[in-house]
């Protein structure tokens, strides 16, 4: 099956072909995309191979992930599946969708007899894992509106290989699921706009509205914003809005209301409208007005981050993008730009920035890149393309050096188990660069995807478990569990990360200072205090005044990623 569909080439484009002559990479892509079923199986297996390493061994990553997981755990503990809480604090920031998905998975694991499922972060990550796999598969489906099956396979593989989607697949948060829903909407909208001379199947329209509703339950207005801006931009281009009638908005909005309204009504009644005041009036407007939780960055942040977060395809996208202006009259270009550009501008303008905010836009960029590759316009003939393509080996080389240094500085020994694999990934990426120099762009893509697969196994599967200094909360939780005393009550001071609450328990007390921690330890029963070194002198002095001498069980040194500093936590116990 040919990779190149020249019938859709823009007028005046010289049809060079994706590579100069056939090679093993072209034949491989053609063979793997010979049928839709085969292509989907390949993408499913690739996704699992990239996303699985480190999935269970990665510690709860502060701060967002354990906040989501802990709130889901408390739903199971209390039986309240309407309100969202972190300990005693209302968590009125996002709608309930991801919490329901996580709770359902954990409840299912418990029903199957899994021991300690509620305190095992991997089960809370399963919706994200499935959302990331779904993103890859529906990217293939969406891409078929633009490119050949071989090109669609590459577009899906680019998403599977991307660093950012790989990260989100391993975190119990909203973004992988949100991205899957937005790709369904993108593929449906693209078909409606590009195939206006055809009848769009009712299933495609139903999928659009189901994804639209789920996106609202998962992350509120983000999904509707992206698709709404894209629809508006395309309507301005077409100087008409009639084509949107194909979405059947009447029954689509009714379906959306039936799906989302019950919970929104329930939370409004339960909180007296406080959820909307908090989520819209404070959380969302705070992100728009200032850099929330120290996540401020200037405009241009996402553009710079893109080269790392969308590796290894990012540099190919950068080479392809200048052609978007030249080909702006082409409908397929207009659809991609309408999906990406308006929302990207808004994300860049908002002061609060996190890399994953733009993830729902990446599938359109992957499809655009592959389309330009099919037309033969990505290659060494493009200005500065050959030196720019050095980014492909630079990322794995940088991780090899950076993680080696980090392991040595934090744990006293480099993560030797993962370093050979990172070296192999670097060498494969160099091979990809050499192939690009020769104009073998499909070979470049295949090799870059292979490098990402090796890198994922090396970084997540072999290197990450060895970075013990970063696993402060799991090691403290292990220390608490190792103490032989009945029903201990635990307090922490100086180290207050949500991951510790998730792993130790919902009742974990958070002391404001050493004196407050000492007062907690003065209570009845078995009591454990986790005391960071800076609060230790005050803690011990206060206990001395009370006539108490706690036993120091162990010390747990580590590195707090969020604080960016080394910590040393003493584990004390009384009333054994």
């Amino acid at each position: 099956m040919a990779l190149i569909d020249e019938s859709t080439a823009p007028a005046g484009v010289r049809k060079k072909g994706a590579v100069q002559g056939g090679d093993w990479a072209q034949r491989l892509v053609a063979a793997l995309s010979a049928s839709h079923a085969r292509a989907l199986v390949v993408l499913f297996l690739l996704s699992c191979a990239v996303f699985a390493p480190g999935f269970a061994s990665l510690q709860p990553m502060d701060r967002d992930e354990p906040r989501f997981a802990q709130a889901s755990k408390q739903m199971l503990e209390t039986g309240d599946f309407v309100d969202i809480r972190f300990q005693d604090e209302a968590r009125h920031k996002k709608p309930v969708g991801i919490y329901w998905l996580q709770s359902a998975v954990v409840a299912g694991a418990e029903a199957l007899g899994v021991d300690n499922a509620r305190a095992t972060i991997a089960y809370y990550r399963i919706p994200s894992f499935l959302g990331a796999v779904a993103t890859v598969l529906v990217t293939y489906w969406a891409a078929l509106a633009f490119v050949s099956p071989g090109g669609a396979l590459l577009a899906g593989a680019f998403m599977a290989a991307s660093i950012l989607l790989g990260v989100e697949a391993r975190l119990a948060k909203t973004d992988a699921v949100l991205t899957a829903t937005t790709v369904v909407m993108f593929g449906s909208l693209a078909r409606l706009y590009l195939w206006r001379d055809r009848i769009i199947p009712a299933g495609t329209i139903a999928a659009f509205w189901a994804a639209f509703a789920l996106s609202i339950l998962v992350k509120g207005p983000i999904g509707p914003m992206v698709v709404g801006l894209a629809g508006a931009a395309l309507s301005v281009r077409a100087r008409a809005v009639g084509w949107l009638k194909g979405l059947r908005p009447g029954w689509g909005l009714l379906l959306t209301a039936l799906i989302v309204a019950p919970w929104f009504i329930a939370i409004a009644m339960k909180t007296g409208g406080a959820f909307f005041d908090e989520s819209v009036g404070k959380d969302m407007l705070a992100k728009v007005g200032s850099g929330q939780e120290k996540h401020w960055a200037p405009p241009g942040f996402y553009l710079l981050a893109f080269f790392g977060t969308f590796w290894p395809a990012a540099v190919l996208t950068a080479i392809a993008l200048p052609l978007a202006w030249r080909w702006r009259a082409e409908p397929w270009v207009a659809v991609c730009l309408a999906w990406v550009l308006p929302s990207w501008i808004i994300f860049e303008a908002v002061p609060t920035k996190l890399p994953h905010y733009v993830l729902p836009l990446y599938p359109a960029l992957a499809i655009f890149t592959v389309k330009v590759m099919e037309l033969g316009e990505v290659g060494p003939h493009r200005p500065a393309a050959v030196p720019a393509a050095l980014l492909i080996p630079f990322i794995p080389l940088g991780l090899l050096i950076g993680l080696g240094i980090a392991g040595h500085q934090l744990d006293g020994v480099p993560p030797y188990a993962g370093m050979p694999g990172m070296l192999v990934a670097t060498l494969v990426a160099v091979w990809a660069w050499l192939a690009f120099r020769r104009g073998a762009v499909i070979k470049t893509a295949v090799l870059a995807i292979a490098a990402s697969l090796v890198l994922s196994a090396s970084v997540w599967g072999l290197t990450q478990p060895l970075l013990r200094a970063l696993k402060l909360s799991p090691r403290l939780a292990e220390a608490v569990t190792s103490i032989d005393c009945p029903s201990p009550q635990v307090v922490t001071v100086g180290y207050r990360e949500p991951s510790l609450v998730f792993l130790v328990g919902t009742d974990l007390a958070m002391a404001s200072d050493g004196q407050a921690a000492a007062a907690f330890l003065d209570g009845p029963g078995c009591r454990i205090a986790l005391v960071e070194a800076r609060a230790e002198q005050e803690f011990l002095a206060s206990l001395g005044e009370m006539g108490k001498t706690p036993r120091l069980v162990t010390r747990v040194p580590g590195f707090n990623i969020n604080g960016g500093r080394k910590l040393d936590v003493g584990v004390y116990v009384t009333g054994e």
Side-chain angles (χ1 to χ4, degrees):
M1 183 174 295
L3 275 173
I4 304 168
D5 180 7
E6 297 187 349
S7 64
T8 59
V13 173
R14 182 165 59 94
K15 301 172 182 62
K16 303 177 181 64
V19 290
Q20 302 301 314
D23 60 19
W24 63 264
Q26 265 198 310
R27 294 192 295 273
L28 176 64
V29 173
L32 295 180
S33 60
S35 71
H36 295 319
R38 183 184 298 180
L40 290 172
V41 169
V42 168
L43 289 173
F44 174 79
L45 294 176
L46 174 65
S47 301
C48 291
V50 174
F51 301 150
F55 182 79
S57 62
L58 180 68
Q59 71 273 17
M61 293 296 291
D62 290 304
R63 293 185 172 99
D64 277 351
E65 181 187 33
R67 285 172 176 164
F68 280 103
Q70 176 63 26
S72 298
K73 180 166 72 168
Q74 287 182 217
M75 284 185 171
L76 293 169
E77 290 173 348
T78 64
D80 184 348
F81 293 93
V82 174
D83 202 6
I84 305 165
R85 307 192 74 81
F86 180 88
Q87 292 190 303
D88 294 328
E89 176 187 351
R91 183 166 167 78
H92 294 160
K93 295 178 181 293
K94 304 289 187 296
V96 78
I98 198 67
Y99 304 101
W100 281 352
L101 293 174
Q102 292 175 358
S103 299
V105 171
V106 176
E110 290 182 329
L112 293 173
V114 175
D115 185 43
N116 202 31
R118 289 190 189 183
T120 304
I121 191 63
Y123 293 107
Y124 296 85
R125 290 171 173 164
I126 288 176
S128 294
F129 184 93
L130 296 177
V133 172
T135 294
V136 173
L137 299 181
V138 294
T139 295
Y140 172 84
W141 169 77
L144 291 172
F146 299 83
V147 297
S148 67
L153 178 73
L154 284 179
F158 279 160
M159 288 304 301
S162 67
I163 287 179
L164 184 55
L165 186 60
V167 170
E168 293 302 323
R170 295 173 172 87
L171 298 181
K173 293 164 57 254
T174 58
D175 299 282
V177 175
L178 174 70
T179 302
T181 65
T182 57
V183 182
V184 173
M185 290 189 282
F186 172 67
S188 303
L189 194 72
R191 281 162 169 77
L192 190 67
Y193 187 82
L194 296 175
W195 298 350
R196 278 179 277 180
D197 58 339
R198 309 185 197 180
I199 297 175
I200 304 300
T204 299
I205 304 304
F208 174 93
W209 288 110
F212 184 84
L214 181 57
S215 76
I216 294 173
L217 280 178
V218 168
K219 206 165 183 177
I222 300 302
M225 181 197 78
V226 174
V227 71
L229 289 173
L234 291 172
S235 296
V236 170
R237 180 185 184 274
R239 298 181 182 179
V241 296
W243 66 279
L244 288 171
K245 292 180 181 179
L247 286 175
R248 302 173 198 175
W251 72 261
L253 291 172
L254 176 61
L255 175 64
T256 300
L258 290 173
I259 293 174
V260 307
W263 178 78
F264 279 103
I265 293 171
I267 193 66
M269 294 174 62
K270 189 173 185 67
T271 65
F275 173 84
F276 300 100
D277 291 340
E278 185 74 22
S279 62
V280 178
K282 295 182 180 180
D283 184 63
M284 188 172 73
L285 293 181
K287 288 181 170 68
V288 173
S290 62
Q292 193 180 47
E293 296 184 356
K294 301 180 181 179
H295 293 151
W296 178 89
F301 167 81
Y302 292 114
L303 184 61
L304 292 176
F306 176 78
F307 290 96
T309 57
F310 197 52
W311 182 89
V315 68
L316 301 178
T317 303
I319 295 168
L321 272 178
L323 295 168
W325 175 252
R326 185 193 303 176
W327 296 343
R328 62 190 182 278
E330 296 296 323
W332 66 270
V333 176
V335 172
C336 292
L337 289 181
W339 192 262
V340 174
L341 196 57
S343 294
W344 194 290
I345 290 172
I346 289 177
F347 287 131
E348 291 283 18
V350 171
T352 301
K353 292 182 175 66
L354 287 168
H356 59 258
Y357 285 0
V358 294
L359 181 59
L361 312 181
Y362 281 10
L365 291 171
I367 293 168
F368 177 87
T369 302
V370 170
K371 181 67 175 180
V372 179
M373 287 170 57
E374 284 195 337
L375 297 172
E377 289 295 323
V378 174
H381 62 285
R382 303 295 302 167
V386 172
L390 281 170
L391 179 70
I392 299 174
F394 176 81
I395 294 295
L397 178 62
L399 287 172
L400 171 63
I401 296 171
L403 291 175
I405 294 173
H408 183 270
Q409 290 186 341
L410 296 176
D411 293 305
V413 59
Y416 288 117
M419 295 180 76
M422 288 186 279
L423 178 60
V424 170
T426 302
L427 295 175
V428 174
V430 170
W431 185 10
W433 178 72
L434 293 174
F436 184 84
R437 287 187 61 189
R438 296 192 298 271
V441 180
I442 300 301
K443 183 184 291 185
T444 298
V446 171
L447 290 170
I449 292 164
S452 178
L453 178 60
V454 176
L455 191 67
S456 174
S458 304
V459 171
W460 295 104
L462 298 174
T463 300
Q464 169 269 134
L466 300 180
L467 300 176
R468 283 182 51 79
L470 303 183
K471 300 180 182 298
L472 191 53
S473 289
R475 291 161 60 211
L476 286 170
E478 289 173 4
V480 169
T481 304
S482 69
I483 297 173
D484 186 17
C485 66
S487 304
Q489 298 184 61
V490 187
V491 66
T492 182
V493 58
Y495 179 66
R496 302 167 59 90
E497 296 298 343
S499 59
L500 193 61
V501 178
F502 174 77
L503 293 170
V504 172
T506 303
D507 294 331
L508 175 69
M510 301 278 194
S512 57
D513 53 30
Q515 186 176 1
F520 180 92
L521 224 62
D522 192 37
C526 176
R527 300 205 168 212
I528 301 171
L530 311 176
V531 187
E532 206 277 316
R534 292 167 300 165
E536 209 157 13
Q537 184 176 356
E538 182 185 29
F539 168 75
L540 292 174
S542 297
L543 280 174
E545 294 173 0
M546 300 173 188
K548 280 189 171 288
T549 304
R551 179 171 71 89
L552 176 63
V553 177
T554 187
R555 303 201 68 84
V556 181
F559 185 82
N560 186 6
I561 297 175
N562 288 296
R565 62 171 178 263
K566 292 183 178 180
L567 300 179
D568 183 16
V569 182
V571 180
Y572 292 87
V573 62
T574 60
E576 294 175 278

